[in-house]
């Protein structure tokens, strides 16, 4: 049975701090990350738990995400990430190596690396880097685990001087900690300056689209899903896990409802708790969604 535990923050503290609060409140060792406007595949948690069960050394298990605009079936591309631990750590020198919304991780490994720390739009990348330095073991499942909502608003948020300064400072962190050398620092910073400062928003949106993979099917087949669902019904013993989420005042209540539904009612293996941090004041329609799932799931 899944319980919804809700934490209300009186003031908005930002994404990184809200994530930190959610992680600290989770009661299980395994925690899945979820955003308030995306949709998890119904098999997501089952396949991630199976990887942790098969390899106890793993600390982070992510996966591929699809990106869609408007309706969920309007997929514009896939953000593929490397599979193995060695590939992920090499990729981290160039780009964020784990799709944050797809991640499931061990609470102890996250906290041992310092947990979530506030870093403008890059708190996840910053966390992965510190976990890599701390010796954590990663894997990305080569299946689509989450359908992520995107649009022109996302490309505008990933541009401008403030965003570039955040990215540049993260590259400086990598240089100072000898994750990358000076040539890679210069290259990474130059590419980001061109993409985030020089290029207009409209063109940046097209560039993001070109960078994604297209015309690929990363999901499980119907037969794979049905077969594994039958195994679940035959009482396979999966470890307990939590889902950490946050929501704030500018989130869309309808999308938030769909996100909660996807990690609770539609999963073949369900979490035993959702820890939801309400990051500052939110409008009444978001409160109604929270109350809806408190009635369905229980909790407070």
């Amino acid at each position: 049975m899944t319980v919804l535990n809700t934490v209300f923050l009186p003031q908005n503290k930002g994404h990184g701090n809200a994530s930190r609060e959610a992680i600290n409140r989770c009661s299980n060792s395994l925690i899945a990350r979820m955003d308030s406007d995306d949709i998890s595949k119904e098999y997501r948690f089952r396949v991630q738990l199976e990887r942790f069960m098969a390899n106890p050394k793993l600390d982070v298990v992510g996966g591929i995400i699809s990106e869609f605009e408007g309706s969920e079936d309007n997929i514009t591309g896939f953000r593929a990430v490397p599979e193995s631990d060695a590939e992920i750590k090499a990729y981290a020198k160039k780009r964020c190596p784990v799709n944050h919304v797809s991640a499931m991780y061990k609470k102890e490994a996250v906290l041992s690396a310092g947990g979530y720390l506030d870093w403008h739009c890059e708190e996840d990348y910053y966390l992965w880097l510190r976990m890599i330095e701390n010796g954590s073991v990663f894997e990305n499942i080569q299946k689509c685990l989450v359908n992520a909502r995107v649009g022109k608003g996302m490309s505008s948020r990933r541009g401008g001087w403030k965003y570039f300064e955040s990215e540049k400072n993260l590259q400086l962190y990598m240089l100072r900690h000898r994750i990358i050398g000076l040539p890679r620092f210069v290259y990474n910073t130059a590419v980001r300056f061109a993409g985030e400062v020089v290029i207009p928003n409209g063109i940046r949106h097209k560039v993001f689209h070109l960078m994604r993979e297209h015309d690929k099917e990363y999901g499980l087949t119907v037969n794979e899903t049905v077969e594994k669902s039958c195994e679940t019904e035959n009482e396979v013993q999966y470890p307990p896990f939590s889902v950490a989420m946050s929501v704030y005042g500018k989130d869309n209540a309808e999308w938030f409802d769909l996100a909660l539904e996807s990690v609770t009612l539609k999963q073949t293996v369900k979490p035993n708790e959702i820890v939801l941090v309400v990051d500052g004041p939110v409008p009444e329609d978001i409160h109604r969604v929270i109350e809806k799932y408190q009635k369905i799931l229980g909790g407070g």
Side-chain angles (χ1 to χ4, degrees):
M1 178 179 177
T2 305
V3 174
L4 176 63
N5 295 325
T6 311
V7 180
F8 291 92
L9 302 181
Q11 295 181 334
N12 181 276
K13 293 187 175 182
H15 200 246
N17 289 320
S19 296
R20 185 181 185 89
E21 187 73 27
I23 292 294
N24 289 338
R25 300 287 188 121
C26 289
S27 61
N28 293 302
S29 175
L30 285 175
I31 301 172
R33 174 69 203 177
M34 183 60 187
D35 281 355
S36 59
D37 55 358
D38 298 327
I39 301 172
S40 285
K41 294 286 193 178
E42 69 277 5
Y43 52 76
R44 174 192 167 184
F45 298 149
R46 171 175 55 76
V47 296
Q48 290 181 295
L49 292 170
E50 287 170 353
R51 293 308 306 141
F52 279 109
M53 294 165 70
N55 184 0
K57 293 182 179 180
L58 286 171
D59 295 302
V60 180
V61 175
I64 292 167
I65 63 173
S66 74
E67 295 182 337
F68 71 96
E69 294 186 31
S71 63
E72 192 180 356
D73 58 355
N74 182 31
I75 294 174
T76 60
F78 296 89
R79 184 171 190 268
V81 280
E83 181 175 12
S84 72
D85 182 63
E87 291 170 327
I88 289 166
K89 289 172 179 175
Y91 190 81
K93 298 178 181 182
K94 300 181 292 185
R95 297 178 63 193
C96 184
V98 177
N99 288 316
H100 189 214
V101 68
S102 76
M104 180 181 282
Y105 38 56
K106 291 178 179 174
K107 179 177 181 178
E108 296 81 359
V110 172
L111 296 181
S112 179
Y116 283 96
L117 299 174
D118 192 32
W119 195 297
H120 179 66
C121 293
E122 298 287 351
E123 64 278 344
D124 56 329
Y125 197 173
Y126 185 35
L127 174 61
W128 308 142
L129 291 173
R130 287 181 284 115
M131 291 183 74
I132 288 170
E133 290 180 285
N134 210 36
S136 292
V137 180
F138 293 72
E139 181 180 306
N140 282 318
I141 296 170
Q142 298 301 290
K143 298 291 183 183
C144 179
L145 301 185
V146 177
N147 293 334
R149 196 181 299 273
V150 297
K152 292 185 178 179
M154 182 191 73
S155 58
S156 63
R157 290 192 301 272
R158 294 183 178 179
W161 278 103
K162 185 176 182 180
Y163 189 82
F164 169 69
E165 285 291 330
S166 176
E167 289 258 72
K168 182 194 71 177
N169 289 335
L170 195 61
Q171 295 299 316
L172 278 171
Y173 174 88
M174 294 167 68
L175 178 65
R176 289 166 180 163
H177 285 244
R178 298 183 179 181
I179 298 171
I180 59 175
L182 184 59
R184 170 56 66 179
F185 168 79
V186 172
Y187 177 81
N188 286 353
T189 305
V191 169
R192 284 160 172 79
F193 179 77
E196 296 159 10
V197 178
V198 177
I199 295 177
N201 287 339
I203 297 177
R204 187 182 305 114
H205 181 69
K206 295 178 181 179
V207 170
F208 280 145
H209 180 71
L210 291 172
M211 290 172 63
R212 300 308 189 228
E213 294 194 19
H214 303 280
D215 301 322
K216 294 212 175 194
E217 181 49 63
Y218 285 110
L220 293 180
T221 67
V222 173
N223 287 339
E224 287 175 310
T225 303
V226 170
E227 179 183 341
K228 288 296 184 177
S229 295
C230 291
E231 288 184 14
T232 303
E233 292 173 2
N234 291 331
E235 299 184 353
V236 174
Q237 293 299 310
Y238 292 96
F241 68 101
S242 306
V243 175
M245 295 183 66
S246 63
V247 64
Y248 84 123
K250 293 184 179 181
D251 280 330
N252 181 296
E254 181 182 353
W255 298 349
F256 175 47
D257 191 339
L258 292 172
L260 273 173
E261 180 184 52
S262 76
V263 296
T264 55
L265 307 181
K266 292 192 172 181
Q267 288 294 314
T268 57
V269 177
K270 295 177 173 58
N272 67 318
E273 72 170 353
I274 308 284
V275 175
L276 174 67
V277 172
V278 183
D279 191 15
V282 293
E284 187 59 34
D285 56 356
I286 288 180
H287 278 291
R288 285 195 292 269
V289 174
I290 295 170
E291 291 167 2
K292 169 185 172 180
Y293 284 90
Q294 285 174 337
K295 289 178 182 177
I296 294 172
L297 304 173

